[in-house]
Each structure stands twice: as structure tokens, then as C-alpha cells.
Amino acid sequence: MRDTQQALVALARHADRRKWSAGQQIDFLFSCAGIQELPADDPISTLRYRHWVGNRTVLEKQRVRQTLLTLAAKRTALLDRPEMVPALGLIGKHYWSRQRELADWHPRTRNVYGQLASLVRHLFDAYGDVPGWVLEAWASGEMVCAGVQLAELTIHLGQGHSLRSFPGLPRALTKKQEHAMRQAPAGCTFIEALRYGQLAARGALSWLGPVLQTEWSRTVGPDDDFWLGVVDFFAAAPLVDPQHFGPVCDWIQQKRTVGIGDEPPQPGFSLKGRSMNSVLARTEQWHRQLARGPRHAGQLLSTTWSPLLVSDFASGEDQRVLIRQLRTYEELLDEGRALHHCVASYLHSCQRGRCGIFSLKMDGARSITLEVLGNRTVVQARGRYNRPMLAHERYWVARWATEAQLSLSKHI
């Protein structure tokens, strides 16, 4: 056995491994004693080793190897695509929980994402009712969301168990919430599906877009019930513009965690007894205070932070369209003044590295303010007075996102 391994390693150093079959490449990976035996100029093999071989027990390696070799005998491009590597490693890891045999699966589409969803459903979904958003997570590379292990959730649901009974949920679900959550559109993350279920169960699904653009909606925590109460407050108000929702949430968050002006934080703040008109007026007053800014506090104005590692954008030689990251508190203030919104309140989030704020200018004029999370997702885009993006602005943001390898939230 040792002689065979040494021969394989020697062969890898001299042969053109690109001509090897998928099975030969798999055997070579599992014969390596460590990642150092892989060629330095082969990042795909390194990626495969980390997800398929590294940090596994002997038994786990045997299971994963056999699963991959069986898959290699199929007419599928899954093994050729680097973005599929993590998912295939998870399939091998959890193959012992399968409902059907891999040998009985046959790809019915040439689209690798469709093939992966079909494969996961074939192996782990006994009744064909695992939600599409759970299956699509396998191709996203983000198999942990809000502490939920989505591979384990897939197996749990595929065995016919309820979503509510999954032990890894960040909060309890009612039957009504579970039913609605299962109906969430494919492509949702776990948190987005949770928000979908929570809002649908309370008859406020029309507020999903504004909710998913807020900072609080992106994590699951003990304040969930409070923020859902804010949604109820808006849903009960007649003819209120949904564009007010985000700014009001920013004002409430500032009031609860930092304080407005000289007043201390009010973690117990409540909307009880307040009218929509008074809340909107207080939010507008806070915006005006932010716009004036602490001009006397020179040190605060110069406050900076480590920017996100996301490139800026310029539209060719004419540079008619520019997108650049804001890097000081003074730049945040200037952006908020120009577009009449509260982006200056994101100072602490920028300092903590939670997000980066970018400004889109067209022909020298500020047009759109963009929020990008640390996971390289553009989650907010607000123009003057918090208006949404226009079609021509969306075009340039999409161009920038492609060049900078960012993803765009479908809710902006």
C-alpha cells in the first residue's frame, strides 16, 4: 500500500494530471499524506483536499472517497466545478444518512446547480418536500446560517420531521410560522426564510422587502419580538410609505444602543403610546441633527476605520460613474447631508468591521449610498430621501458587483 502511495505521488510530480480521469484524481488526493504533497500551482486540488480529505477520521475518508468515486462514474460536471467542492464534501460526510443509493441517481439537466439540488434531494429527501431554499443553500457555500447547520437540517426534514422540532433552531417556531417558512422562495437564506415565515404568519408579508434592508433583520437574537412589534406598528398604520421603515428602525436602534444627542441609551425603549406621526417627526428631527453634525469635534470628524477589502469602481476613462468606499466619519456626514438620510449613524458598524459604506456618483453628483456586509453582499441601496435605486443606477451597481465579486441582495 505504501509503495502504491509513493508511486502515485511520484507520478503526480511528472505526469500531466489534467489528463487523469476524475477517479484517478480522487485516488491521488486520498493517497496524499498531507496538503504539502499537492502541487503549489494547483489551487483546485488544494481546495478539494481541504474539503474532502483534511481533518477527517480514517472511516470518514473511506466514506467520502467511495461516494466521490461513485459520483465520478456518473455523467456529471459536479466534480469539475470548484464551487461545488464544499457541497460534495458534505455529501460524502453525511452519505451514511442517505435515503436512497447514489448509484440510482441520474442527472436530468446539464446545469450543475440543478444537478446538485437533484442529487441532494435524491439522497436525503425521502418525501420530496424539503424546501427549495434549503436545497439551494448547498451550492451557496454558506452551510451555516444563524448557527443552523443546513446539511443537518436537510437530513432532518428529509426524514419527515417537522422544521419546528429541529434542535439547532435559534428560536422556537409556531406551526403557522413553520408552514409559512416552508413556502419561502428558493434562494432565501435561513434568516430570510425565517423573516418570511414570521411576517407571513402575522399577515405582514408585504413588509418583507423593507424589513430585509434593516440591520436588525440580518441576525436572530433576543430582540426579535421587539422588532417584529415595530413591523406591527407600521402594518397597523394607514397609508404609511414603506420607505420610512428603515430610517425609523435606524432611529430606534440609535436610541436603544447609543442614545440621541446628550441622552443616554434607552435599551427599554418602547413604541407603546406613540403615534406614527410622532415617530416620523422624531426620526426626521434626528436626521437633521445628523446633517448638522458635530462640526466642533474635529477629532470625531476625522475618525476612520479599516475599510472592507472591496475595490472601488470607475466607468472607463471618462470616469462618469464612480463608486468609492467612505472611510471617515466626516465622509459619512457629507453623504447623509447630500442625500438627506441617516448613513452617519453607521459609524459604529463601520468601526466594528460589520459593514462598509460606498457612495455612487454620476457626473460628479451623489446618487446612491450602498451598504456592503463583511460577507461581500450589497444589502442596502438608498438614494435621496431614502428612495430606491433607479434602473440606470442598478445597472452600474451590478457592473461594480460583478467586477468586485460581490453579491446583490434580491431585496434592494
Side-chain angles (χ1 to χ4, degrees):
M1 179 65 181
R2 176 178 247 173
D3 290 341
T4 301
Q5 291 180 349
Q6 291 175 345
L8 282 168
V9 172
L11 180 63
R13 295 193 181 111
H14 301 289
D16 185 355
R17 292 189 302 109
R18 290 173 297 181
K19 297 180 181 179
W20 286 4
S21 68
Q24 288 175 312
Q25 293 183 41
I26 292 167
D27 280 334
F28 168 69
L29 278 177
F30 282 86
S31 72
C32 292
I35 201 169
Q36 68 277 1
E37 293 187 5
L38 297 174
D41 60 349
D42 189 357
I44 294 180
S45 289
T46 301
L47 180 68
R48 288 170 174 166
Y49 188 92
R50 286 174 176 163
H51 286 278
W52 297 354
V53 185
N55 298 320
R56 294 190 187 276
T57 65
V58 173
L59 180 59
E60 287 175 339
K61 289 179 182 179
Q62 291 174 349
R63 288 174 176 168
V64 174
R65 175 180 172 274
Q66 188 55 52
T67 302
L68 294 171
L69 287 174
T70 304
L71 187 61
K74 302 288 183 178
R75 298 181 63 181
T76 174
L78 286 171
L79 289 165
D80 301 327
R81 299 287 288 269
E83 67 268 34
M84 298 295 157
V85 169
L88 296 180
L90 284 171
I91 287 173
K93 176 182 178 181
H94 294 285
Y95 188 65
W96 63 273
S97 298
R98 66 192 180 279
Q99 300 294 322
R100 304 177 185 89
E101 295 299 325
L102 175 56
D104 297 329
W105 174 75
H106 302 285
R108 302 185 184 280
T109 175
R110 293 184 178 181
N111 182 286
V112 290
Y113 295 95
Q115 288 181 7
L116 179 62
S118 167
L119 176 59
V120 173
R121 192 179 290 282
H122 171 84
L123 292 176
F124 303 120
D125 187 3
Y127 304 99
D129 60 357
V130 173
W133 57 265
V134 177
L135 296 178
E136 289 200 6
W138 286 74
S140 71
E142 297 182 10
M143 289 299 290
V144 181
C145 184
V148 176
Q149 301 285 340
L150 290 170
E152 295 176 7
L153 179 62
T154 303
I155 294 168
H156 178 84
L157 296 176
Q159 293 171 343
H161 301 302
S162 69
L163 180 55
R164 291 184 301 118
S165 65
F166 184 65
L169 293 180
R171 61 171 295 144
L173 297 174
T174 65
K175 289 184 178 180
K176 194 172 183 180
Q177 287 172 340
E178 173 178 354
H179 176 76
M181 192 172 174
R182 283 176 173 269
Q183 310 306 313
C188 285
T189 65
F190 173 85
I191 291 181
E192 289 171 345
L194 174 62
R195 299 303 179 212
Y196 183 100
Q198 290 172 325
L199 297 182
R202 61 205 314 123
L205 193 55
S206 61
W207 289 90
L208 180 64
V211 165
L212 291 181
Q213 291 189 47
T214 61
E215 182 177 357
W216 67 265
S217 73
R218 299 172 202 141
T219 57
V220 183
D223 286 343
D224 262 23
D225 289 333
F226 169 83
W227 290 112
L228 291 171
V230 176
V231 177
D232 293 337
F233 179 77
F234 269 81
L239 297 176
V240 61
D241 187 343
Q243 292 299 321
H244 289 305
F245 185 79
V248 168
C249 288
D250 291 338
W251 169 71
I252 293 174
Q253 179 72 359
Q254 184 81 3
K255 198 170 185 67
R256 297 179 82 217
T257 60
V258 180
I260 304 293
D262 295 330
E263 69 181 25
Q266 299 181 31
F269 173 81
S270 170
L271 289 173
K272 186 176 181 180
R274 299 176 186 269
S275 68
M276 179 59 72
N277 286 338
S278 69
V279 169
L280 294 178
R282 291 296 183 91
T283 302
E284 178 59 28
Q285 181 183 17
W286 175 56
H287 286 180
R288 289 196 298 269
Q289 291 174 356
L290 284 176
R292 288 194 296 270
R295 284 291 181 185
H296 60 282
Q299 183 176 0
L300 182 58
L301 288 176
S302 63
T303 298
T304 187
W305 49 86
S306 298
L308 292 187
L309 298 179
V310 175
S311 59
D312 293 341
F313 174 85
S315 61
E317 295 182 1
D318 61 357
Q319 296 194 345
R320 176 176 161 267
V321 178
L322 297 172
I323 300 177
R324 61 177 296 272
Q325 188 167 182
L326 306 184
R327 300 165 187 257
T328 69
Y329 182 52
E330 185 170 20
E331 289 182 331
L332 291 179
L333 286 170
D334 290 341
E335 182 81 359
R337 289 190 190 98
L339 297 182
H340 300 279
H341 55 43
C342 54
V343 71
S345 65
Y346 280 73
L347 169 63
H348 299 289
S349 292
C350 291
Q351 288 178 312
R352 292 195 297 267
R354 190 196 63 79
C355 70
I357 302 297
F358 291 75
S359 177
L360 182 152
K361 290 184 177 181
M362 303 190 73
D363 297 320
R366 298 177 193 266
S367 179
I368 292 290
T369 306
L370 301 144
E371 179 190 358
V372 181
L373 297 185
N375 65 2
R376 306 183 72 83
T377 302
V378 184
V379 293
Q380 282 202 79
R382 296 185 182 183
R384 189 179 296 271
Y385 296 106
N386 291 293
R387 68 164 176 81
M389 281 193 293
L390 302 177
H392 67 285
E393 295 164 339
R394 186 178 294 276
Y395 167 81
W396 289 110
V397 170
R399 277 271 306 270
W400 166 59
T402 300
E403 291 188 12
Q405 297 183 317
L406 306 173
S407 60
L408 291 176
S409 168
K410 55 185 172 294
H411 301 288
I412 63 173

